[in-house]
């Protein structure tokens, strides 16, 4: 199931849509818990800003 999200700071314009095929995807993990019936996904994106 594709998931799209983006960051929208209060004092700035919204950032780009982040999707699994986004060029700055650094890491993605999926985990399945058959007993609990859940699928988890963790995605890490790089925004190009250092520090902060």
């Amino acid at each position: 199931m594709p998931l799209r999200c983006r960051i929208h700071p209060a004092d700035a314009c919204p950032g780009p849509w982040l999707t699994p095929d986004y060029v700055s995807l650094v890491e993605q993990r999926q985990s399945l818990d058959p007993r609990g019936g859940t699928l988890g996904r963790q995605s890490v994106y790089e925004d190009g800003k250092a520090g902060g």
Side-chain angles (χ1 to χ4, degrees):
M1 176 168 78
L3 175 68
R4 292 177 7 146
C5 60
R6 72 183 189 179
I7 299 170
H8 190 173
D11 60 345
C13 295
W17 285 103
L18 304 174
T19 62
D21 59 348
Y22 188 69
V23 70
S24 293
L25 178 65
V26 176
E27 181 180 342
Q28 184 170 1
R29 297 181 194 175
Q30 288 186 331
S31 60
L32 176 63
D33 177 4
R35 291 184 184 200
T38 59
L39 173 66
R41 180 185 298 168
Q42 179 182 15
S43 300
V44 178
Y45 294 90
E46 187 175 90
D47 70 357
K49 294 182 181 180

